Amino acid sequence: MATVHQWTGLEARALRLALRLSVRAFAQQLGLAVATVSKWEGKLAGTEPRPDTQAILDTALGRADAAVHLRFETLLSEMASQVQTTSRGRVSAYCPRAWEYESWADDLDRVVVALSRQNFAFADNLLTRWLSRFEAPELDEKGLYLFARSTALLGDLKRDQGMVLGPLSAQHSYAGARAAFIQLDIPRRVAQLDLSLAVVTEMSGKLEIAARNYETLAVDDRLSRRDRARARLWVGTALSKDGQHDHATRVMQAATRDFEGLTEPDDWSVAHQKLALARRGAGDLSQALHFIDIARNSGTTDSPMQRVRLDTAHGHILLSDAATREDGLLVLDQAAKVAAQYGLVHQLRSIEGVRATGAGAAGPRQRRSGRNA
């Protein structure tokens, strides 16, 4: 049920419309003058009823049934989304009410689930619903926190879609969210955004810079133990992409032990996937196959993104051996289909890159360690 902490003419009008009463009938039900209700209707959020009248409105809303409450919340949301132009011509957004904060927070939880399933259209719709309604400078502290979280999640969405740089990119959204969390003085969130920006740096090909940023964040006390372990793992990925496969392996193994100690099966699985690619880069295909098998048979999350990443890594390894080249192409084809289905542009580029570099040469430095794959 909806609760109004401070009534203005806006909420009063929404209640009247939800009750489906005329101005006169609404005034009679409340025991007030028609002129009073008319004043609310004219000034909306610009006027607040007296304390005794606030209590009358509380009672009217409390006695309403569930259907009226639903109409009230819907009407208030629609009215709140409308902007007002001041006499100076500046557009001013309506400040959210307590119930809107709750709805906003609920929608952000839904965004997290949608992103985990790569349902980008739904996630984008939920985020746009709130980010287009309010302006950060006009929000109070709670509203700014929700705005910052929304902007950070928009960055995650853009990153997963492969939109890394530019005015509508993950980098732009992350920078905006970081500035808001600095204003709110929440160091942990700022550090998490630093980590996200380091990922963007890596994705844009600036591997040395990304590795240095990850190294700094891996010992940053603002981050949780899990986030520090992830930063350490990503140091290894940047090193591996830069051709430093043996060094990368040692760093990744340290991160893998951290995830095991933290009981994080999904991160532990991802770490083995990264290890597999590092060993493939070093020409140790037996160990590469060993690690990719562990990654494919562990972890609890089976999102389209993770399936594509695992298949891309597996296909890359198979493509490195002439004996399994055709199998590798088939695995990459399947990964490309899933990536295209879910709009995973960055992953599609990676798959094409693997095909281009691996189809013509199978494992120039294969080393058989004698261990079981």
Side-chain angles (χ1 to χ4, degrees), residues 230-298:
R230 293 170 77 188
R232 185 171 295 111
L233 175 65
W234 294 339
V235 171
T237 64
L239 291 171
S240 183
K241 288 180 180 179
D242 201 33
Q244 304 179 53
H245 305 298
D246 290 330
H247 185 191
T249 298
R250 292 193 296 272
V251 174
M252 290 178 183
Q253 286 175 329
T256 303
R257 290 191 291 271
D258 290 341
F259 291 134
E260 187 171 2
L262 291 167
T263 319
E264 291 287 352
D266 291 336
D267 291 320
W268 191 78
S269 175
V270 170
H272 280 85
Q273 173 195 322
K274 304 294 188 183
L275 275 168
L277 289 173
R279 296 323 300 156
R280 179 262 165 204
D284 188 352
L285 297 187
S286 292
Q287 279 292 285
L289 287 167
H290 172 68
F291 286 132
I292 200 65
D293 282 345
I294 292 175
R296 293 172 66 206
N297 292 290
S298 62

Side-chain angles (χ1 to χ4, degrees), residues 1 15 18-19 29 57-72:
M1 294 293 183
L15 178 59
L19 290 167
Q29 178 170 312
L57 290 164
D58 286 339
T59 300
L61 179 60
R63 289 175 177 173
D65 60 27
V68 171
H69 276 260
L70 179 59
R71 288 197 296 271
F72 173 72

Side-chain angles (χ1 to χ4, degrees), residues 104-126:
W104 195 346
D106 288 344
D107 275 352
L108 293 186
D109 290 338
R110 296 164 73 195
V111 168
V112 171
V113 174
L115 288 178
S116 72
R117 297 171 179 171
Q118 282 71 64
N119 189 346
F120 297 135
F122 182 56
D124 186 58
N125 180 62
L126 289 175

Side-chain angles (χ1 to χ4, degrees), residues 6-9 12 36 40 44 47-54 57:
Q6 184 69 28
W7 289 88
T8 71
T36 298
W40 296 343
L44 296 178
T47 185
E48 293 184 1
R50 297 192 306 270
D52 58 335
T53 309
Q54 295 265 341
L57 290 164

Side-chain angles (χ1 to χ4, degrees), residues 166-357:
L168 300 176
S169 67
Q171 183 186 53
H172 181 78
S173 293
Y174 286 147
R178 185 180 186 277
F181 282 125
I182 287 175
Q183 181 179 339
L184 290 166
D185 193 22
I186 307 179
R188 180 176 65 90
R189 291 289 189 180
V190 175
Q192 288 174 335
L193 268 299
D194 287 337
L195 193 55
S196 295
L197 285 165
V199 172
V200 167
T201 300
E202 180 190 338
M203 291 176 69
S204 62
K206 300 175 182 177
L207 301 178
E208 290 186 12
I209 297 174
R212 287 198 299 270
N213 292 342
Y214 288 143
E215 286 173 348
T216 300
L217 291 164
V219 293
D220 194 325
D221 289 337
R222 295 176 300 169
L223 292 171
S224 67
R225 287 180 60 198
R226 182 192 178 196
D227 282 336
R228 292 199 299 271
R230 293 170 77 188
R232 185 171 295 111
L233 175 65
W234 294 339
V235 171
T237 64
L239 291 171
S240 183
K241 288 180 180 179
D242 201 33
Q244 304 179 53
H245 305 298
D246 290 330
H247 185 191
T249 298
R250 292 193 296 272
V251 174
M252 290 178 183
Q253 286 175 329
T256 303
R257 290 191 291 271
D258 290 341
F259 291 134
E260 187 171 2
L262 291 167
T263 319
E264 291 287 352
D266 291 336
D267 291 320
W268 191 78
S269 175
V270 170
H272 280 85
Q273 173 195 322
K274 304 294 188 183
L275 275 168
L277 289 173
R279 296 323 300 156
R280 179 262 165 204
D284 188 352
L285 297 187
S286 292
Q287 279 292 285
L289 287 167
H290 172 68
F291 286 132
I292 200 65
D293 282 345
I294 292 175
R296 293 172 66 206
N297 292 290
S298 62
T300 58
T301 300
D302 188 28
S303 70
M305 174 75 80
Q306 185 57 12
R307 289 203 306 272
V308 169
R309 286 173 173 167
L310 278 170
D311 285 346
T312 302
H314 189 203
H316 198 175
I317 294 165
L318 294 174
L319 206 63
S320 301
D321 190 331
T324 57
R325 185 184 304 173
E326 292 302 319
D327 291 336
L329 290 172
L330 290 174
V331 172
L332 289 175
D333 286 342
Q334 179 59 36
K337 288 179 182 177
V338 177
Q341 178 184 351
Y342 287 93
L344 305 177
V345 177
H346 184 73
Q347 301 305 315
L348 279 170
R349 293 178 190 143
S350 296
I351 293 167
E352 289 305 314
V354 170
R355 282 177 174 151
T357 59

Side-chain angles (χ1 to χ4, degrees), residues 16 22-42:
R16 177 182 72 78
S22 66
V23 171
R24 183 174 296 278
F26 187 55
Q28 290 176 346
Q29 178 170 312
L30 298 179
L32 301 172
V34 173
T36 298
V37 176
S38 296
K39 175 186 174 183
W40 296 343
E41 299 271 330

